Amino acid sequence: MRSYLVLGMCAVFITQYFAQLHWLQYLVVIMALLAFAGSAGRADRFPRLLGAIMMTTGMVIEWNKGTGIEGINQGIFLILPLICLITLAPLLSIPLKISGYFESVSILLRKLLNQPKKLYAGITGTLFFLTPILSLASVRILNEFIEDLKLPSAISAKGYLVGFTTALTWSPYFASVSLVLHYLNVPFSEYILYGLGLSLLSLIVGNVLFAFWEKRHPLKIEANAVVNLERKHRANLMKLGFFVVLLMSTCLFIEQLTNWSMIVIVCLLSSIIPIFFAIKPANREAMRPLLVDFRDRTVPMMNNEIMLFMSAGMLAFALQGTSFANKVSSYLAVLANQSFFLFAIAVMLIVLAITYIGIHQIAAIGALAMQLNAAELGMTDIGLAMLLLLTWVVSTALSPFSGLNLMISRFSGISGFRLGLSTNGLHLSIVAIIGIAIISFIA
C-alpha cells in the first residue's frame, strides 16, 4: 500500500508540473508528508532520528519566519522532484538486467583478474558508465559479480568509491546534479561538459594513484582459469555504452526542445523506457518479476532516503533568508572578493563539518545553493555549480554516514572513517585542489 502512495505521489507531482494547478500542489505535498510519516516507522534508527530533527527544525524556522503553512508547503514541494527522481530512476535497471549487459560486464572483469591495474580500470570504468543511471545499485550489482573472486579490500575500497563519485558531478539522474542545477537555474545542456570534465579528472587521478600504489603494494590475485570475452559479450559492452550515450543525449535533446526541468525529463524517461521494452512479449515476461520486485522491495526500501532527503530539503529551504544564513553568505562573499581559493576552501570546510556529523549534503549544499548569489561572489553560475558539486563529491566520500561510504565499508570490511580519510584521502585532496584551480579560471 505504501508503495502505491509513493508512486502515486510521483505521478501527481509530474501531472502538477504540466497542469500547474495550485490545489494539486497541496495534494502532492499532503501525499509526501504521509509518505514521510509512513517511512518514519520503518527507517533505520539514525536516519529516523536525524530526519525527525531536521524536519521539525525546518518547520519551526519556517513558521517563525511568518510564512506559516504556505512556507512549509513550498519547502516540501521544492524537494519533491528529487524524491521522485530517486524513486523512479531504479526502473532503468530493469531493461539493463533483461538485456544481458551485466553478465558481459562480469566476464570482462574476470578476464582482467590477473592484471590489477587493468582490473581497477575495469571496475572504475564500469561504474563510470553504470552509476550515472543506476546510482548506488551499480555498486551493489558490481559487488555481486566479483565478491566470489575474493579481491583484496584495497581494490574494492578504492575502486568503488572512485568509480561511483565520478557520476556525482555530471549525471542528471543524481540528486546532486539535479538539485544544484535546479536551485541555480543552470540548464543541464550548458553544464554537462564542465561536469564531465570534473568526472574524467577524478577517474584519471584515481587510476594514476592506484598504479603508483600497486607498485608499492603488489597484488597477487589468483584466477582459476583463463576467461575469453566472446563476441556477443563484446557486442553487449558496446551496446551498454551506446545505451548510456543515447540516454544522456535524449535528455539533452528534450531539454533543448521543450525547456522542461531536467528532473522531470529524467523521471519521464525512467518510466517510459521500461514500457518500450515491454512491447516485446519475451521482454514482458522477463520484466514482470522485476517490476513486482521494484514495487514490493525497491520502493519500500527507500525509507531512509525519504526521511533524509525530505527533511534535509525542508531544512535547507527554511534556512534561506534567516539571519544565520545571511551572515554565512556575507562572510563567504567577503572571502570570495579577497581570494577565490579561500572562498572555495571555506565552502568545502563548512559542508564537511555539517555532513561529518551525519546531516545530509542536501541540507548543507541546498541551503548554500539557494542562499548564494554567483554575481555577488564575482563568479558565474556554472562556476558556482561546479564548486558545489565538487564539494558534494568530497563530503560524500569523506562522511562516514553517507550511504556510499556505509555500503563500500560493508563490502570491503574497512571502517567508514578509514575508507574516506586513509584509503581515499590523497585522491580526494588532489581532485579537490586541481578542481578548485580549474574552476578559478572558469568562474
Side-chain angles (χ1 to χ4, degrees), residues 68-90:
I69 298 296
E70 187 61 33
I72 294 173
N73 173 65
Q74 289 296 327
I76 298 295
F77 186 75
L78 200 62
I79 200 65
L80 277 179
L82 295 183
I83 304 297
C84 295
L85 177 69
I86 64 170
T87 301
L88 298 176

Side-chain angles (χ1 to χ4, degrees), residues 185-440:
N185 293 315
V186 175
F188 180 71
S189 56
E190 294 180 10
Y191 169 80
I192 183 172
L193 291 179
Y194 297 99
L196 273 172
L198 287 177
S199 177
L200 290 171
L201 167 67
S202 178
L203 188 67
I204 292 169
V205 170
N207 277 272
V208 170
L209 287 178
F210 181 81
F212 284 112
W213 183 88
E214 203 272 334
K215 278 186 178 180
R216 298 193 306 271
H217 308 85
L219 298 173
K220 293 182 179 180
I221 307 173
E222 296 182 3
N224 295 328
V226 177
V227 178
N228 293 319
L229 194 63
E230 298 176 6
R231 185 175 179 179
K232 73 169 186 177
H233 294 302
R234 289 197 296 269
N236 273 345
L237 292 172
M238 293 183 66
K239 288 178 183 177
L240 177 59
F242 177 73
F243 178 83
V244 174
V245 172
L246 180 62
L247 186 63
M248 297 305 168
S249 300
T250 303
C251 289
L252 287 170
F253 176 74
I254 295 175
E255 184 189 47
Q256 287 287 334
L257 189 67
T258 63
N259 287 322
W260 294 346
S261 165
M262 180 55 71
I263 301 182
V264 173
I265 294 171
V266 168
C267 289
L268 287 173
L269 288 179
S270 298
S271 305
I272 292 172
I273 290 175
I275 294 175
F276 280 130
F277 270 76
I279 293 175
K280 187 178 179 181
N283 288 347
R284 203 177 306 146
E285 290 301 316
M287 289 175 65
R288 184 172 287 112
L290 296 176
L291 288 170
V292 171
D293 183 69
F294 170 78
R295 181 195 65 192
D296 296 342
R297 192 178 68 88
T298 303
V299 176
M301 282 178 62
M302 293 178 181
N303 299 307
N304 293 343
E305 287 82 358
I306 290 175
M307 286 289 297
L308 290 175
F309 277 46
M310 199 176 298
S311 59
M314 181 68 241
L315 180 59
F317 179 81
L319 287 173
Q320 183 183 17
T322 61
S323 58
F324 172 76
N326 290 335
K327 287 179 181 178
V328 171
S329 60
S330 298
Y331 169 72
L332 291 174
V334 171
L335 282 180
N337 291 324
Q338 292 179 348
S339 166
F340 175 79
F341 288 94
L342 287 177
F343 164 73
I345 291 171
V347 169
M348 285 194 171
L349 290 177
I350 290 171
V351 175
L352 278 173
I354 294 172
T355 57
Y356 215 78
I357 60 175
I359 296 177
H360 199 276
Q361 286 83 358
I362 288 177
I365 295 180
L368 288 174
M370 286 187 283
Q371 185 73 26
L372 296 177
N373 185 302
E376 293 177 359
L377 298 171
M379 59 192 303
T380 63
D381 287 331
I382 287 180
L384 181 57
M386 290 177 70
L387 176 61
L388 292 178
L389 287 169
L390 182 62
T391 301
W392 197 304
V393 169
V394 175
S395 61
T396 297
L398 288 180
S399 173
F401 300 105
S402 72
L404 172 66
N405 214 316
L406 291 171
M407 178 180 289
I408 297 177
S409 176
R410 186 168 69 252
F411 291 156
S412 65
I414 297 176
S415 72
F417 290 95
R418 281 185 55 212
L419 182 66
L421 290 172
S422 177
T423 308
N424 292 288
L426 179 61
H427 166 258
L428 294 169
S429 299
I430 292 175
V431 170
I433 292 170
I434 297 176
I436 290 173
I438 292 173
I439 295 169
S440 68

